[in-house]
Amino acid sequence: KLAEKWNVPIIADEIYGDLVFGNNVFHPMANVASKLGYTVPIITASGLGKQYLIPGWRLGWLIFQDSRHGSIQDVKKGAQRLAQVVLGASRLAQVVIPAVLDPSAESDVAAIAQWKEHLYTQVENQAALLCGLLKECQGLEVIHPQGAMYAMVKIHAHLFDEDIYDDVSFMKLLLEEENIVVLPGRAFGMGQEEERDTPVFRVVFCAPEDVLRCASERISSFCSRHAV
């Protein structure tokens, strides 16, 4: 409704696709716009890297769903021209896209669905493991994820010593002392708008379980060492 009011298109980052946990349901933004009468153009960005675990291929796509007014036809043409100028993925890699997204054989459809179900279950279990372990760390508050491959964790800086006062100081010290890398929330525009905002960091949980346990133990030791 806001985009319709101000006549702006929506760029939907759907790189994780339908990778959701539990009873959560993924609603593509293009589907939402279509149900509202195609009043807002949608440009959807997605790819194979996250959903099919092949990040090194750097292979993705844009889907243009125009409004009923034909608002982004020139934008789509410009994107097509740019894609033909800039060197991208090889043809060998590109032919995988239709084979994965629109397989012709029923056996392939079933195999892909089974593989994705196994993957999503595994990722959800790893999320539960890491979030459960980090939940016990002093001074941290886990925002349990509904999908994807990472979790956001709040840092209650007033529960730590003077060396930890925001997300960047937490990240730097954690790297120096425990060799653990997390991303500060400000990299995603979180926890920095106001002084009263709680700083956060992002941590991924797609590593093997033994690595997640080791990492959580180091983070726990770090938090205990700097706790007041």
Side-chain angles (χ1 to χ4, degrees), residues 10-11 16 19 29 42 47 53-54 57-58 91-92 96 98 101 117 138 141 158 163 173 198-199 216 221 224:
I10 293 176
I11 300 177
Y16 289 97
L19 179 50
M29 186 61 69
I42 308 294
L53 305 185
I54 46 175
W57 288 29
R58 314 300 297 174
R91 182 183 182 280
L92 179 62
V96 173
L101 300 186
E117 181 180 3
Q138 188 167 353
E141 180 184 346
H158 66 281
D163 292 331
L173 279 177
T198 302
S216 63
S221 297
S224 298

Side-chain angles (χ1 to χ4, degrees), residues 78-125:
Q80 289 174 327
R81 288 194 293 268
L82 183 62
Q84 293 171 348
V85 171
V86 179
L87 293 178
S90 68
R91 182 183 182 280
L92 179 62
Q94 292 183 51
V95 295
V96 173
I97 296 178
V100 169
L101 300 186
D102 188 25
S104 56
E106 289 296 327
S107 59
D108 291 339
V109 174
I112 292 173
Q114 183 179 13
W115 180 84
K116 291 183 72 174
E117 181 180 3
H118 173 74
L119 169 65
Y120 291 7
T121 299
Q122 181 179 359
V123 173
E124 183 174 3
N125 290 339

Side-chain angles (χ1 to χ4, degrees), residues 64-221:
F64 292 80
Q65 177 178 284
D66 210 341
S67 68
R68 60 173 180 248
H69 309 295
S71 308
I72 56 171
Q73 287 301 309
D74 289 340
V75 176
K76 180 179 179 180
K77 292 177 182 178
Q80 289 174 327
R81 288 194 293 268
L82 183 62
Q84 293 171 348
V85 171
V86 179
L87 293 178
S90 68
R91 182 183 182 280
L92 179 62
Q94 292 183 51
V95 295
V96 173
I97 296 178
V100 169
L101 300 186
D102 188 25
S104 56
E106 289 296 327
S107 59
D108 291 339
V109 174
I112 292 173
Q114 183 179 13
W115 180 84
K116 291 183 72 174
E117 181 180 3
H118 173 74
L119 169 65
Y120 291 7
T121 299
Q122 181 179 359
V123 173
E124 183 174 3
N125 290 339
Q126 292 174 192
L129 171 66
L130 183 61
C131 291
L133 293 171
L134 293 182
K135 187 178 179 180
E136 303 301 320
C137 295
Q138 188 167 353
L140 301 184
E141 180 184 346
V142 180
I143 304 173
H144 200 85
Q146 297 179 337
M149 296 179 176
Y150 59 87
M152 307 303 294
V153 182
K154 293 183 179 181
I155 307 166
H156 295 291
H158 66 281
L159 298 178
F160 294 103
D161 58 30
E162 66 276 5
D163 292 331
I164 296 176
Y165 47 87
D166 62 6
D167 53 346
V168 173
S169 61
F170 184 95
M171 177 268 295
K172 287 183 176 179
L173 279 177
L174 182 62
L175 176 59
E176 292 172 0
E177 297 181 12
E178 297 292 346
N179 201 29
I180 298 293
V181 178
V182 297
L183 289 178
R186 67 183 60 194
F188 310 96
M190 298 182 65
Q192 63 174 350
E193 296 300 323
E194 303 286 346
E195 289 186 4
R196 64 178 180 272
D197 287 348
T198 302
V200 300
F201 67 86
R202 191 180 91 161
V203 59
V204 298
F205 44 74
C206 47
E209 287 191 7
D210 59 332
V211 175
L212 297 179
R213 290 184 184 277
C214 178
S216 63
E217 289 174 2
R218 294 188 183 188
I219 294 174
S220 178
S221 297

